Amino acid sequence: MARSIGFIAVMVALLGGFATPTRAQVTLSISCSSLGIELELCQEGANEWGKQTGNSVKLVATPPNAEERLALYQQLLAAGSADIDVFQIDVVWPGTLASHFLDLTPYIPPEDLKDHFETLTTNDTVEGKLVAVPFFVDAGLLFYRQDLLDKYGKKPPRDWSELTETAKAIIDGERAGNAQLQGYVWQGRAYEGLTCNSIEWVASFGGGTIVETDGKISINNARAAAALTLARSWIGTISPEGVLNYAEEDSRGVFQSGNAVFMRNWPYAWALANAPDSPVKGKVGIAVLPQGAGDGARHASALGGQHLAVSKYSAHPKEAADLVRYLTSAGEQKRRAMKGSFNPTRKSLYDDQELLQALPFLKDFEAVLENAVARPSTVTGAKYSRASSEYVRAVHNTLTGKGTAEENLAGLEKQLERISRGGKW
Ligand code: GLC
C-alpha cells in the first residue's frame, strides 16, 4: 500500500512536471494595495498560482494611498531593485512608470487580451509596448441608505441639488436620534482620490477633464468653477469638516457604521457594506453619481482601477509574467468580483449569470463605464502626477476657503501651462 502511494506520488510529480515545463521553484514577490480586502484576495490568488506551478509568492503590502504607493515604487524602480517582481499599478501610472516594465505581449494569449475592455488595454500600451494587464476596473458610484430614503419618501438623487436637499432633509429628521449622522461622505483629502472626486463634479457640469486629449488645458472655465463652488458649499452642511481629510476607507468607515446617508466610493465598498458583520447590510442602494446643472449637465464617473506590471529588473520575468496572466484570468477575476466586488476588466464576465446575480450593479456597469471620465494621464504622460498634484492643491484650497474657485483655477491654469510648456506636454 505504502509503496503504491509512493508510486502515485512520483507519477503525480512527474505528470505535474510535464504539464508545467517551467516548474522552476522560484520565489516571486508581488506588491498589492490594501484597500478593503484587497490584500487578502491578492494573497489567495497568488497562493493558488503558487500551488499550481510549484512556485511561491511573497506579498509586499503597500500603502492604500495612491501617492505614497507611487513614491515607494518610483524609489525602488529608480534604484533598479529586483525586490518586487510584480507591481500592482494604478490606471493612471503607465505613462509615468513604463520605462521600468517589461513588454508583456509575448506572455499573454491574444484571445485573453481581446477580452479586456479596449480602453484599458490601450491605456496600458505605451509606445507599442504592453506594460501592464488590466486587473480590475473602478468607476465612482453613489452609495445610499435605501432604508432612510424610504422612510422620508425620497428617491436616489438625479442631480447634485437633489442630493443636497435629500441629505439635508434626512439629517434634519434623524439627528435627534443620531447626532453623528452625516449627509454625504466622499474623498476630500489632498491626494489622488480628490482628483477623482472633483473631476466627476467638474465633468458633471460639462467643465471638461482638466487637460483635454489634445493637450489643451481646459480647467479654467465657468462650469468647473460652478462645480467646485457647489462642493465647497457641502463642507460643514451635508458633509463634515473632516471630509477634507478623508480617503476611501475613512468615508467607508463612516458610511458602514451607519453614520451617513450618501457616500461616493468605488465598487469594492459594496461587498464590505453587505458583509455579514456590516451594520448597514441589506440597507444599501447604489446608483450613478448625480448630474451637475446647466447646459453641460451629465452623469460622470471617474475611471479608476488597477493593473499588473512586471519589473524589468525581475530575476524571474517568465514566472512573473505567468503570475500576471493567472491573476488577470477570467477565473480569478470572477473570484475577486464574487468575494470583494472588484469589477472585472473582461467583457465576457459581464454576461456571467452567477456574477450578475451576486453583484446587482454589474448589469449597468458597462453603461457607467461608457460615461466614465478618464483622468488626463495619457496625454500628460510622465508629467501626470505633477499635474494632478497641482490640480488637487487648487481644489483643496477652494474647499477649505483659501481663495475662490475662480481664483484657484486661474492660478492652476498658469501652473499647468508652465509644467506643460504651453500645453505641449
Ligand atoms: C482607486 C482607483 C484608482 C485611483 C485611486 C484614488 O484605487 O482604482 O484608479 O487613483 O482609487 O484614490
Side-chain angles (χ1 to χ4, degrees):
M1 183 65 181
R3 232 177 173 188
S4 63
I5 290 177
F7 175 74
I8 290 169
V10 169
M11 281 311 285
V12 167
L14 279 176
L15 286 171
F18 286 132
T20 48
T22 53
R23 184 174 274 247
Q25 306 281 328
V26 303
T27 300
L28 295 180
S29 60
I30 181 172
S31 76
C32 284
S33 151
S34 48
L35 201 59
I37 59 164
E38 260 190 302
L39 214 55
E40 182 186 324
L41 288 172
C42 188
Q43 179 83 73
E44 289 167 356
N47 286 352
E48 183 52 36
W49 175 81
K51 234 199 285 163
Q52 290 182 14
T53 59
N55 298 311
S56 48
V57 189
K58 267 193 337 232
L59 208 69
V60 182
T62 57
N65 178 324
E67 263 108 15
E68 287 166 30
R69 194 149 55 96
L70 180 60
L72 177 74
Y73 285 5
Q74 281 177 314
Q75 219 177 342
L76 283 168
L77 291 166
S81 155
D83 287 355
I84 297 181
D85 301 282
V86 177
F87 284 86
Q88 178 181 322
I89 64 163
D90 197 305
V91 64
V92 288
W93 297 347
T96 308
L97 300 177
S99 62
H100 300 287
F101 295 145
L102 225 58
D103 182 3
L104 293 169
T105 317
Y107 302 100
I108 309 290
E111 64 277 14
D112 267 27
L113 268 188
K114 262 195 245 128
D115 194 19
H116 294 282
F117 292 114
E118 210 184 322
T119 351
L120 303 180
T121 43
T122 304
N123 179 81
D124 290 347
T125 307
V126 179
E127 286 165 15
K129 281 183 5 188
L130 182 71
V131 299
V133 182
F135 189 30
F136 64 88
V137 56
D138 271 334
L141 294 168
L142 183 72
F143 293 76
Y144 58 88
R145 284 283 300 281
Q146 183 71 65
D147 56 329
L148 290 177
L149 260 60
D150 289 348
K151 181 169 168 191
Y152 289 83
K154 303 282 186 192
K155 292 220 168 64
R158 272 164 314 169
D159 58 32
W160 293 113
S161 64
E162 246 179 70
L163 176 134
T164 309
E165 278 160 34
T166 303
K168 272 201 188 121
I170 298 181
I171 47 181
D172 286 350
E174 293 290 302
R175 278 241 171 111
N178 178 5
Q180 311 258 34
L181 188 71
Q182 303 296 336
Y184 186 36
V185 292
W186 36 279
Q187 294 82 49
R189 182 185 294 180
Y191 81 123
E192 186 63 26
L194 181 58
T195 302
C196 298
N197 280 245
S198 57
I199 205 171
E200 286 164 350
W201 311 326
V202 168
S204 79
F205 273 75
T209 56
I210 314 166
V211 177
E212 303 309 307
T213 46
D214 60 0
K216 189 175 173 295
I217 297 156
S218 62
I219 190 61
N220 187 16
N221 70 75
R223 291 170 174 182
L228 298 190
T229 306
L230 169 74
R232 157 89 180 125
S233 77
W234 296 332
I235 313 289
T237 56
I238 60 167
S239 303
E241 296 275 347
V243 82
L244 295 170
N245 203 24
Y246 281 5
E248 284 83 0
E249 286 292 83
D250 306 295
S251 8
R252 184 175 68 83
V254 174
F255 184 78
Q256 198 165 312
S257 55
N259 291 328
V261 183
F262 294 111
M263 167 177 74
R264 183 265 178 217
N265 216 324
W266 307 108
Y268 86 97
W270 174 259
L272 294 165
N274 284 302
D277 62 349
S278 164
V280 296
K281 178 178 164 30
K283 298 179 182 166
V284 178
I286 206 162
V288 292
L289 286 163
Q291 293 192 2
D295 299 345
R298 54 165 287 198
H299 293 286
S301 289
L303 176 71
Q306 305 287 321
H307 300 224
L308 295 176
V310 173
S311 162
K312 78 174 186 205
Y313 316 111
S314 165
H316 309 292
K318 246 180 32 204
E319 289 80 4
D322 194 57
L323 174 59
V324 169
R325 183 204 51 77
Y326 176 80
L327 291 175
T328 56
S329 66
E332 180 60 10
Q333 287 206 355
K334 179 172 174 180
R335 185 187 73 85
R336 294 174 53 90
M338 294 288 287
K339 193 163 173 189
S341 60
F342 284 96
N343 277 23
T345 60
R346 288 169 163 272
K347 290 172 275 188
S348 58
L349 289 174
Y350 288 76
D351 294 325
D352 184 290
Q353 288 312 313
E354 199 184 358
L355 210 50
L356 286 169
Q357 290 239 306
L359 297 180
F361 57 90
L362 216 63
K363 67 175 187 343
D364 300 323
F365 200 75
E366 279 184 273
V368 171
L369 277 184
E370 267 161 34
N371 277 323
V373 178
R375 286 162 278 169
S377 56
T378 302
V379 62
T380 57
K383 292 182 175 156
Y384 174 73
S385 74
R386 266 175 82 197
S388 180
S389 305
E390 290 297 339
Y391 172 65
V392 159
R393 197 208 313 259
V395 174
H396 203 265
N397 280 344
T398 306
L399 296 175
T400 52
K402 288 196 204 107
T404 63
E406 287 79 2
E407 287 160 0
N408 287 322
L409 293 182
L412 171 65
E413 182 180 48
K414 285 209 190 91
Q415 286 295 341
L416 295 180
E417 290 286 358
R418 200 176 46 77
I419 295 174
S420 66
R421 290 167 292 121
K424 291 202 257 326
W425 298 103

